[in-house]
Amino acid sequence: VASAMVTNGDFTLQLPDSLVDRVYVLVVDGNRSGAQFVSERGTVRIEGDLDNFYFARVSGGKENDRINLMHDFNRDLNKRRHQAFAAKSDRSVMAALNAEYDRFLDSMTYADPTSVHALYTVLGPVTMYKIGKLDSLLAFFAPLAGHPYYNELKARADIVRSVSPGAIAPDFTARTPDGGTIRLSDLRGKYVLLDFWASWCVPCRAETVHTRKLYEAFHKSGLEVLSFSLDSKAEDWKRAIEEDGMVWLNASDLVGGKLSPVAQAYGIDGIPAIWLIDPDGRIIAEGLRGEKLYERCSELFGK
C-alpha cells in the first residue's frame, strides 16, 4: 500500500486517511520477516533490528501498545516452550503453556471492544468458529460495526448461520458423473448425508469407508448420500469414485477447491465436511464423522 527508501537507517511513510485504523506489515526489501503495526492516526514509530524484525518495537497509540504487549508475552512463552522441549518435559507442561497462551489471548481479545487489532486477531482462526462464537464476537465488537474487519466477521457469521443446524440447507444444482445434473432439493422427503470431499484429499478417502458403512446400513430406511467433489478434473473425480466404490449419489461443479460456488455457499474451509439434512431440507447436524455420525443415524432410524 505504500513504500519508501531507507536513508541512513531511517525512512518515512505517509498513509492516506482511507488506510487509517488497519493492521499492516512493514517489510524491508530483501528481509524475510516483517513488523506488524496498526496505522493509528498521528505518527507511528517502528524501530528494530533486521535480524529479528518481527519483534520490532512499535509506538504511537494504544493499538500499537497492544502489539508490543503481545510480542513480549510470545517471546517469553516461546522461551519457556523451548526450555520445556529441551528438558524433555512431559506433555502436561506443554499443555499448561498452551492453556496459558489461550488465557492471554482471550484477555487481549475481550479487553477493549473498540480495539481494531483485537478484532483483526480474531479473524485469524475465524473459519474454526461456530455460530455461537461468531455471534458473541459480533456483539462484543459492535462499537466497530461498519469497519472492514467487522464486515468480514459478519459475512462469515452469515454464511455459518445459513449452514448451521436449524437452517434450510442452501440449494444447488451440479453435474453428475454420467453427464446429467442433480439438485439438492430434489432429495426432499429423505434424510440426506451431504459430504464434501476431493480425490486428492487423503482424510476424505479414508472417511469413505465410514460413508459406505452408513449407506449400507441406512439407505433402505431412507438415507441418501450425496458426495460433492471439489475436484477440478473430471477424470480424477470419476476414477476416485470407482476406486472407492462410491455407489451412492455423486455431484460436482468441477470448479475446484474453494473457488466452487457451492463450497463458498457452505463456507467450506477444509474437507471432509459433512452435513446431515432432514426430509424437509433442514440441517440437523454438521461436522459429525465416523462412529459419531453412525450413532446419530442410528438414533434417526431406530437401529
Side-chain angles (χ1 to χ4, degrees), residues 26-276:
L26 175 69
V27 177
V28 177
D29 193 27
N31 193 55
R32 293 181 60 184
S33 63
Q36 188 183 82
F37 71 99
V38 178
S39 56
E40 297 187 76
R41 196 173 299 278
T43 300
V44 175
R45 181 172 177 82
I46 305 171
E47 187 172 5
D49 182 10
L50 285 182
D51 291 335
N52 198 14
F53 202 45
Y54 175 81
F55 288 108
R57 305 299 292 180
V58 186
S59 59
K62 65 172 187 175
E63 296 290 280
N64 288 302
D65 289 342
R66 287 174 54 89
I67 292 178
N68 291 329
L69 185 61
M70 292 187 74
H71 281 171
D72 290 342
F73 178 85
N74 285 330
R75 186 186 290 108
D76 175 69
L77 187 68
N78 288 340
K79 180 180 178 180
R80 286 186 285 148
R81 280 173 170 165
H82 290 153
Q83 290 173 341
F85 181 78
K88 298 181 179 179
S89 302
D90 60 44
R91 294 181 179 179
S92 63
V93 175
M94 197 62 72
L97 293 174
N98 291 338
E100 183 179 348
Y101 174 79
D102 290 340
R103 289 193 298 272
F104 173 79
L105 193 60
D106 278 347
S107 69
M108 293 291 288
T109 298
Y110 295 104
D112 182 0
T114 67
S115 172
V116 170
H117 186 262
L119 179 54
Y120 172 84
T121 300
V122 303
L123 288 176
V126 71
T127 56
M128 300 173 59
Y129 300 151
K130 302 295 185 184
I131 190 59
K133 174 75 169 180
L134 289 165
D135 281 341
S136 69
L137 288 171
L138 286 172
F140 180 77
F141 288 107
L144 290 174
H147 190 283
Y149 297 158
Y150 188 91
N151 294 344
E152 185 177 340
L153 182 66
K154 185 177 183 302
R156 178 63 187 180
D158 290 343
I159 291 175
V160 174
R161 185 176 292 105
S162 71
V163 293
S164 292
I168 296 295
D171 200 11
F172 61 84
T173 300
R175 293 175 52 179
T176 57
D178 60 4
T181 60
I182 187 172
R183 191 168 66 174
L184 178 62
S185 56
D186 289 340
L187 303 178
R188 294 282 174 86
K190 297 183 178 181
Y191 284 94
V192 177
L193 173 65
L194 177 59
D195 161 42
F196 288 88
W197 71 293
S199 65
W200 41 261
C201 171
V202 175
C204 300
R205 304 289 291 270
E207 187 68 23
T208 302
V209 176
H210 298 286
T211 306
R212 187 184 303 111
K213 179 181 177 182
L214 283 167
Y215 186 78
E216 293 173 351
F218 304 113
H219 177 61
K220 291 182 179 179
S221 298
L223 177 69
E224 286 287 0
V225 175
L226 176 58
S227 289
F228 189 98
S229 171
L230 299 186
D231 279 283
S232 58
K233 296 181 179 179
E235 57 269 28
D236 294 339
W237 171 40
K238 295 177 182 179
R239 185 184 307 113
I241 290 174
E242 183 177 355
E243 290 175 351
D244 292 357
M246 300 170 66
V247 296
W248 46 86
L249 299 174
N250 285 275
S252 180
D253 53 18
L254 293 178
V255 174
K258 297 179 183 179
L259 296 177
S260 163
V262 179
Q264 293 174 3
Y266 278 80
I268 301 295
D269 187 65
I271 50 177
I274 298 172
W275 278 264
L276 192 58

